[in-house]
Amino acid sequence: MIGAEHFLIVSAILFAVGVTGALISRNLIMIFMAVEIMLNAANLAFIAFARIHGDMSGHVIVFLTLTVAAAEAAVGLGLIMTLYRRRGSVDASKFNIMKW
Amino acid sequence: MNTVLPLIVLFPLVGFLINFLLAGKLSRKLVGIIGSGTVLISFLLSIKAFLDLTALPADARIISDTLYNWMAVEGFSVDVSFLLDPLSAIMILVVTGVGFLIHVYSIGYMAHDEGVGRFFAYLNLFMFSMLTLVLASNFLLMFVGWEGVGLCSYLLIGFWFERDSATEAGKKAFVVNRIGDFGFLLGMFIIFWNVGSLDFQTVTALAPSAFAIGGTVITAATLLLFLGATGKSAQIPLYVWLPDAMEGPTPVSALIHAATMVTAGVYMLARSSALFVMAPTTMMVVAVIGAATALFAATIALFQNDIKRVLAYSTVSQLGYMFMACGVAAFGAGVFHLMTHAFFKALLFLGAGSVIHGMSDEQDMRKMGGLKKYMPVTFITMLIATLAISGLPGISGFFSKDEILWQAFSSDLGHPALWFIGMITALLTTFYMFRLIFMTFFGKERMDEKTKSHLHESPKVMTIPLIVLAILSIAGGWIGIPKLFFGATNFFEHWLEPVFAPAQRILHSSEAHHAASTEWGLMAITVTLSLGAFALALRFYLKKPETVTRLRESFPGVHRLLYGKYFIDEIYDRLIIRPLHFFSIFLWKIVDVLLIDGLINGGAFLVGGVSRVMRYAQSGRLTSYVTVFTVGVALITGVMLLLGYSIGN
Amino acid sequence: MFESQILTWLTFFPLVGAFALLLINKENVQAIKLVAIATAGVELLLSLALYGSFQVGVTRMQFEVNIPWVSQFGINYHLGIDGLSLLLIVMTTILTFLAILSSWHSITKSVRGYYFSMLFLLSGMIGVFVALDLFVFYVFWEVMLVPMYFLIGIWGGPKRIYASIKFVLFTMFGSLLMLVALLYLYFAYQSQTGVATFDLIALYSVNLPFGAQSWVFLAFALAFAIKVPIWPLHTWLPDAHVQAPTAGSVILAGVLLKMGTYGFLRICLPMFPEATIHYAPLMVTLAIIGIIYGALVAMVQKDIKSLVAFSSVSHLGFVMLGMFALNTQGLEGAVLQMINHGISTGALFLIVGMIYERRHTRMIADFGGLAKVMPVFATFFLIATLSSIGLPLTNGFVGEFMILLGAFKANWIYGTLAATGVILAAIYMLWMFQRVVWGKVTHKENENLTDLTTLEKAVLIPLVVLIFWIGLAPNAMFKRMEPAVANILHIVRQADNAPEFFRAQDEKVFPTLAGNVSKQENIAVTVGGTAVTQGTDNHSPK
């Protein structure tokens, strides 16, 4: 029987994958995808908790997150595109003009 | 506004406004006519006011006129209001009369100056301020005039503003006067907070009940007022500005620095006589300072070579006389001398101006000599003034000076020592005045050829005022002939009696019980010794000039000290001005910039320094930020879990 | 209609003008200037209408508007004025109008932004003076900072960045403490009465224990003291003044400094009477130090503008002295002196600006002999100088005299020490004047300077008129501010420690000197005392 805890475990694994991806990846697109994975891990957790507590608020939050994530994806990808056009690269380690 | 008093004050103001606003647009002639004309109107109105006053019974001779309420804050209220009583009546007559003559004289004297419009504007502004000063019915309005004349003095001393010495002298005059004004202000505060009013009549009436005779409060108040007087009337220790003030055009010296403004201090003492007599300590200070100044300035005048400087120190000395009179409660005598002095000193200055004019702006007496044949009118009139100031019996100066000396000797507050100093001063005065006459009008002609060829008597517009003043110098004293001579009461003192009655009531003084023979005796001593001084001057400066050189060589120290004016200016410079300047620089450079701003900028640098180290955490690398962020979150969560925070409820 | 809307119009009309500027093409300089000056002109007329319809002798606030804004937190849009604010508002609109007029030719860099900032600033300043809700007050207080920062930072002199940052940091530092104190007050009042409100008038009745009161007082006082500025918090002032453009200096000296003194009057004194009385000696001491220190440092300045800036420290010292003398003469003198300082220092800055435009230097040593080449300029300069010195018949005298009179009543030592400032003022102003205007023309560049243009005269003449008008008829001002001042004093005198504090003032005018005199003297002092305490029944002693 698959219980709510299993969803939570999957969510934790997904989140760990996302974090790892964000940490080790240099490609901005990859980092972006990793962030998306983390978001969805959180979504999954919300739904699991909603199930556990029998409270629909979790679902509401998920819809909110999805919308925000969609908006974020639009802006984020746009920025990456621009960056690529200007600098010819999407390698995060090459952009450190914000350093001291 | 139902009397002429406001008009007396306002006409010169109108003249000022016209000449000032239309500067450069009016012809020279018109400027002079407007300038003098407005003062003439004031003079005629003053005569009318004077006649109005005489028409009243002796004990009700007060005309007052309130224009409007100037400022009122709670209990404090001051009107713009004028007061005519016997004292201010004399003052306005002297101020407008002598003032008018000097205005007329200036038309000639300033004929070739390009700033003539400005000159007459300032002169008229001065007349306005001076008339405000003497006609004011309260201390505050008097203070308006008081500072107003100071401003005009500043502007007129520095009239030739391209000369640095002139502007320097103007500034010095203003600043030194401000020190006096500081005293005047504080004196006013004490009076107001104790009496509840600044109105002369109210203060005079309430003073006996508001202050204790000889109390600390009244002594402080009067001493502060006297500080104001020493500033304006050039007494020790604030006399230093007056000799320098001679940088101004000569009519200015005559009007402001001899006849009118510098006597404001004496007028103020006379005006607040009821307060001063309540403070015997102050009276003593006034008398001693007056006597000391008289003697001190006279000694400096002995060896000055600049004709105007001799007269300037002479003025300081004569003002000392007037203060000595006030200090022994002989206010009437002080004011009497003020009047006669206004006549003969104005005449002396105008005469000196005439000489300077004729000599192509030369002021050094060593380069003059033998001028009497070139400038007969100037010579005669100046000789008359010299006789008057030296106290030749029968001429104005004799009566006023003798009255002061007698009062210094005989009054309840007087002392033979004061008389003695006064007498010595009289001798010195005779000596230096005749020295001036001899060096200027007699002896060898020491000027160069070019100057000599230009030598001429001044035009009529200048000599007529001289003649009028000469007549006044002779006859002006006849209204105050002491009882001693003809047995008749001294008209002048009698006229002023109601003004000084409150003061006399406080003093409870009776007529001095000295024998007439004493008075005759003292008079004889003074006159005889003065003759001696005249003889000495005659010998030194006309008959045997070489004796002077010899004397100078035998006492080089004394001569240097006197010629260098006791080096008071230098002492003030070292003791006050420079330390103040250095202290200010210290405050600026050390306290302000280094300490206070240093502390503040130091704080800023501290923050900056910490940030400079901290900023290396900002590598600019996305991955390192993410790592730090993740590790941070993990750590915080871990710690929270370990410490037993439960998640959820 | 007029009653209830005039203040709102007055506050926001400049903003309307400012945003109208944004609609104009920024190349169209002439139109921008015209709109800006028209806005300031209408604002000036509005304020004159306000002056005209202001009722003299009324204690309550006038032209009040009170509309709930954020009602959950007790924030109301509450505006209203009394005599204090009225005079300051009129002064503000006059100075701003003249400042804008004076920038006509001198500002060429980003003209639109400049006039936008000026109008925005005007709105903020008026807002501070009309606000009767602490929240609204705080908002406007902070709003002012922004345009001033830009005015100094963009259109200023060579060290403008340093100066503008210093100015902002100083002010922000004070404002933050003020914010904390303000919130404390809000919660304290709420816990006492159960009502949550930022209303200034309501908060007057807050009853804090002495300890808390003194902390809150100090927090507000620090914010205001920086703005005034009181010694030793003054060091931002010379930098800001010297670097700011002419109009910026005029507004800064004329109006922004008055925000500090106005804050003391509006908030510190009536809200914390016990603390006010407790700290009065401290404030007076700092004020007197400021008077003398400012004057001495002004004396040795080499730059005319920084001389005037330090003279402001001295003049504002007079204002603080009069205020904390805590008697009618002192307070009314202080309020008048606030106006006077705006007028005469404003005039001085305008004059310095005029000469700066011609020579691009402000160093005293670079001038000399200007009276010869620019006689009209010299005349205006002289009048402004004399007003600053406080010569009788100019405005400066009346204010200084009243302050000194009040200070002398509070304690004769205060009056005496402060009066030395009168001497020092003559020294530093006249010395500067001598070096700049008198003498021979020593620099070739000065030989062909043109005298004032008609526009420049038009800027200065109104100020000269005000200088003499206030000097001759100050009662117009006094009677307008009187109820407000009486109200503040009334509140202060209700304080627990007031009877003890005022005993010396009321009974013995001259305590130290009167101590050792005869019996008759004491009677005399009571005679004086009646004259002094007449304030309550208010009749003249004559």
Side-chain angles (χ1 to χ4, degrees), chain C residues 194-248:
Chain C
V195 182
T197 181
F198 279 103
D199 194 282
L200 196 62
I201 308 296
L203 288 174
Y204 277 180
S205 60
V206 71
N207 194 8
L208 297 178
F210 180 75
Q213 208 184 97
S214 89
W215 282 112
V216 182
F217 171 86
L218 285 178
F220 272 109
L222 188 71
F224 299 142
I226 287 173
K227 209 79 172 178
V228 170
I230 294 176
W231 187 89
L233 303 168
H234 65 278
T235 54
W236 64 269
L237 183 77
D239 284 314
H241 269 328
V242 171
Q243 298 305 326
T246 301

Side-chain angles (χ1 to χ4, degrees), chain B residues 391-594:
Chain B
L392 180 78
I395 302 190
S396 64
F398 168 74
F399 297 115
S400 58
K401 191 182 272 191
D402 184 64
E403 181 70 17
I404 291 178
L405 287 175
W406 171 242
Q407 294 281 358
F409 183 84
S410 67
S411 143
D412 291 348
L413 297 169
H415 193 277
L418 290 175
W419 171 82
F420 185 72
I421 295 176
M423 199 263 302
I424 298 289
T425 309
L427 306 187
L428 296 175
T429 309
T430 310
F431 180 83
Y432 67 68
M433 281 314 300
F434 277 99
R435 171 177 176 266
L436 182 149
I437 291 286
F438 292 144
M439 284 181 83
T440 314
F441 292 104
F442 291 86
K444 268 196 293 233
E445 298 170 5
R446 295 179 295 268
M447 67 291 281
D448 54 39
E449 285 307 312
K450 191 164 167 267
T451 320
K452 202 167 177 175
S453 63
H454 287 134
L455 260 179
H456 58 86
E457 179 58 284
S458 301
K460 282 230 164 51
V461 70
M462 286 166 73
T463 50
I464 289 173
L466 293 181
I467 295 167
V468 176
L469 280 170
I471 295 169
L472 285 171
S473 298
I474 296 172
W478 295 347
I479 55 165
I481 296 174
K483 204 175 173 183
L484 191 65
F485 282 82
F486 304 114
T489 27
N490 182 334
F491 169 77
F492 191 83
E493 306 238 313
H494 183 65
W495 168 253
L496 285 178
E497 234 162 48
V499 181
F500 301 125
Q504 294 302 333
R505 270 201 296 281
I506 293 164
L507 281 175
H508 307 294
S509 69
S510 47
E511 283 282 306
H513 298 294
H514 289 273
S517 57
T518 322
E519 194 169 351
W520 283 114
L522 293 175
M523 206 183 285
I525 295 176
T526 319
V527 172
T528 320
L529 290 176
S530 287
L531 275 175
F534 165 71
L536 210 60
L538 190 70
R539 184 184 158 80
F540 279 5
Y541 290 98
L542 207 54
K543 299 280 192 274
K544 292 195 172 156
E546 65 279 2
T547 28
V548 185
T549 335
R550 230 186 17 249
L551 265 178
R552 191 183 301 159
E553 276 156 10
S554 18
F555 301 102
V558 176
H559 182 264
R560 254 191 76 202
L561 192 65
L562 293 183
Y563 189 69
K565 308 154 215 158
Y566 296 98
F567 303 105
I568 297 292
D569 277 326
E570 287 76 6
I571 293 172
Y572 280 2
D573 185 56
R574 298 276 149 73
L575 250 77
I576 301 170
I577 301 171
R578 284 194 203 180
L580 194 69
H581 194 254
F582 281 126
F583 181 60
S584 304
I585 297 215
F586 164 79
L587 283 185
W588 179 32
K589 294 283 186 196
I590 306 295
V591 178
D592 214 63
V593 175
L594 217 64

Side-chain angles (χ1 to χ4, degrees), chain C residues 173-421:
Chain C
F173 182 73
S175 327
L176 279 179
L177 281 176
M178 176 160 94
L179 182 64
V180 173
L182 203 146
L183 290 173
Y184 180 88
L185 259 183
Y186 171 75
F187 288 116
Y189 186 79
Q190 194 178 21
S191 70
Q192 271 174 25
T193 61
V195 182
T197 181
F198 279 103
D199 194 282
L200 196 62
I201 308 296
L203 288 174
Y204 277 180
S205 60
V206 71
N207 194 8
L208 297 178
F210 180 75
Q213 208 184 97
S214 89
W215 282 112
V216 182
F217 171 86
L218 285 178
F220 272 109
L222 188 71
F224 299 142
I226 287 173
K227 209 79 172 178
V228 170
I230 294 176
W231 187 89
L233 303 168
H234 65 278
T235 54
W236 64 269
L237 183 77
D239 284 314
H241 269 328
V242 171
Q243 298 305 326
T246 301
S249 304
V250 172
I251 304 286
L252 197 58
V255 188
L256 259 60
L257 305 191
K258 310 303 146 41
M259 297 293 171
T261 46
Y262 175 79
F264 273 107
L265 282 171
R266 180 64 78 222
I267 296 177
C268 282
L269 265 60
M271 220 175 271
F272 320 110
E274 277 89 11
T276 298
I277 286 172
H278 182 77
Y279 287 108
L282 172 74
M283 301 306 289
V284 167
T285 309
L286 292 178
I288 292 174
I289 292 178
I291 293 173
I292 297 172
Y293 182 96
L296 287 177
V297 177
M299 193 167 76
V300 290
Q301 293 304 306
K302 297 178 166 62
D303 181 320
I304 308 176
K305 248 188 168 181
S306 67
L307 185 145
V308 180
F310 276 107
S311 86
S312 292
V313 175
S314 185
H315 284 293
L316 270 296
F318 271 107
V319 176
M320 292 310 295
L321 172 69
M323 194 184 297
F324 280 91
L326 296 175
N327 51 42
T328 316
Q329 281 82 10
L331 263 170
E332 292 201 15
V335 177
L336 187 67
Q337 194 63 1
M338 285 158 71
I339 312 287
N340 290 342
H341 177 261
I343 295 167
S344 34
T345 307
L348 281 173
F349 275 125
L350 287 169
I351 286 166
V352 178
M354 288 167 190
I355 191 70
Y356 180 77
E357 269 168 53
R358 288 169 171 72
R359 282 282 276 107
H360 295 284
T361 172
R362 285 183 304 258
M363 290 298 152
I364 294 172
D366 288 340
F367 296 107
L370 294 186
K372 185 84 184 167
V373 273
M374 305 173 73
V376 179
F377 168 83
T379 307
F380 279 110
F381 199 177
L382 183 67
I383 293 171
T385 304
L386 294 176
S387 153
S388 179
I389 291 176
L391 199 84
L393 297 190
T394 64
N395 56 352
F397 174 70
V398 185
E400 268 180 21
F401 180 82
M402 281 298 167
I403 288 170
L404 290 174
L405 189 69
F408 200 86
K409 183 188 184 187
N411 188 332
W412 66 273
I413 298 172
Y414 297 167
T416 309
L417 286 176
T420 57

Side-chain angles (χ1 to χ4, degrees), chain B residues 55-213:
Chain B
L56 296 169
D59 51 354
R61 282 196 183 130
I62 282 178
I63 298 175
S64 65
D65 194 347
T66 303
L67 283 188
Y68 67 99
N69 182 279
W70 185 17
M71 47 176 118
V73 172
E74 214 181 45
F76 179 85
S77 170
V78 167
D79 293 334
V80 174
S81 162
F82 300 110
L83 170 77
L84 189 75
D85 68 350
L87 178 60
S88 48
I90 288 176
M91 290 303 289
I92 55 171
L93 285 178
V94 171
V95 169
T96 54
V98 175
F100 170 63
L101 291 173
I102 294 173
H103 274 72
V104 173
Y105 175 94
S106 307
I107 298 178
Y109 192 85
M110 300 299 284
H112 307 296
D113 198 288
E114 56 179 297
V116 64
R118 199 160 50 90
F119 183 77
F120 273 99
Y122 292 165
L123 274 192
N124 278 353
L125 184 63
F126 170 77
M127 293 304 285
F128 163 72
S129 309
M130 190 68 206
L131 288 167
T132 309
L133 195 164
V134 294
L135 277 174
S137 78
N138 56 60
F139 278 102
L140 196 63
L141 193 61
M142 186 190 207
F143 189 72
V144 171
W146 189 268
E147 288 240 307
V149 291
L151 167 70
C152 300
S153 172
Y154 166 76
L155 291 172
L156 283 164
I157 295 170
F159 179 73
W160 287 311
F161 57 76
E162 292 194 70
R163 283 215 309 247
D164 285 340
S165 55
T167 58
E168 188 65 36
K171 187 191 68 187
K172 185 173 175 183
F174 196 96
V175 170
V176 173
N177 267 299
R178 267 267 156 147
I179 299 174
D181 297 349
F182 161 82
F184 195 148
L185 265 181
L186 295 180
M188 270 199 285
F189 294 156
I190 299 183
I191 292 170
F192 177 74
W193 288 124
N194 284 283
V195 181
S197 170
L198 286 177
D199 185 80
F200 290 135
Q201 286 169 286
T202 318
V203 170
T204 306
L206 292 182
S209 57
F211 300 104
I213 291 181

